[in-house]
Amino acid sequence: MQKAQIPTYERIAIDLASRIYDGKFKVGEKIHGRSTLASEYKVSPETVRRAIKILEDVDIVQSTKGSGIVISSRENAYKYIHRFSNLESIKDLEKQMNSLIEERDKLDEQLFETLRKIMDYSGKLRHTNPLAPIEIEVFPGCSHIGQTISETKFWQNTGGTVIGMKRKGELIISPGPYALIMEGDTLLIIGDDQTYDRVLHFLHD
């Protein structure tokens, strides 16, 4: 069954009344000022003021300038919270929320770990088959921009063979030794399991 929804200030009033009835605040005692309560409940002082006004209206507390907020009736606190017996206090809701946050963090951590394993496994599969091309982008500043594949001695330096290029959305198959390497190109390369690292080092050297 869905529980009734009530404003935050009234939830705070219920929680304070519960603490009074439980004896955490005793009759005749002063409770924290509005600023302290606002910080404790993580709400604005105005929200606390409205909560205290409710408790004043049902004669649970008295609030006067210079005297602060004084507990006046434990019995009235019981009568007030009894009307909301089907509602959790704010503290209970906070506990539920914190529990859900912890569960979400654990799920996020598990998701990240699973994703890392997938990426690691995919990388191993990529290097397992030497005929499966790897893709490496030519970034700005590469010293080989403007040179042909032959001029760079690409195979001699990397052990990889360029079998294709992606340039401005177009795929160039078997570009040949005289194809220019341009900024923004994506090179499609085949080679052994060390080729990827050698090509990266070569293009960024």
Side-chain angles (χ1 to χ4, degrees), residues 100-116:
L100 289 172
I101 290 174
E102 286 181 11
E103 289 181 18
R104 186 196 65 186
D105 289 343
K106 288 179 182 178
L107 287 173
D108 286 346
E109 186 177 344
Q110 291 174 6
L111 180 61
F112 177 79
E113 180 62 20
T114 301
L115 180 60
R116 187 194 64 78

Side-chain angles (χ1 to χ4, degrees), residues 120-182:
D120 183 57
Y121 186 62
S122 297
K124 289 178 179 177
L125 284 179
R126 181 190 64 200
H127 296 308
T128 299
N129 183 0
L131 297 180
I134 57 177
E135 298 186 10
I136 299 180
E137 185 175 351
V138 179
F139 290 103
C142 174
S143 61
H144 304 294
I145 290 175
Q147 294 181 326
T148 66
I149 294 174
S150 176
E151 288 172 340
T152 64
K153 294 183 170 53
F154 195 89
W155 181 82
Q156 292 90 333
N157 284 301
T158 67
T161 300
V162 179
I163 63 168
M165 287 181 171
K166 292 180 181 179
R167 178 176 295 165
K168 296 181 179 179
E170 295 185 4
L171 177 62
I172 304 170
I173 303 295
S174 300
Y178 302 109
L180 288 173
I181 296 175
M182 306 299 291

Side-chain angles (χ1 to χ4, degrees), residues 10-42:
E10 192 155 19
R11 287 186 178 277
I12 293 174
I14 294 168
D15 192 62
L16 288 171
S18 297
R19 293 163 76 179
I20 291 168
Y21 179 72
D22 291 340
K24 294 176 182 177
F25 297 132
K26 300 187 183 301
V27 173
E29 283 186 354
K30 293 181 182 179
I31 61 177
H32 308 300
R34 291 189 180 94
S35 297
T36 303
L37 289 173
S39 177
E40 179 181 349
Y41 286 103
K42 297 179 176 58

Side-chain angles (χ1 to χ4, degrees), residues 1 20 33 61 96 135 139-140 144 169 171 173-175 186 195 197 201 203:
M1 176 178 168
I20 291 168
V61 303
Q96 291 180 24
E135 298 186 10
F139 290 103
H144 304 294
L171 177 62
I173 303 295
S174 300
T186 298
T195 299
D197 292 331
H201 179 74
L203 291 179

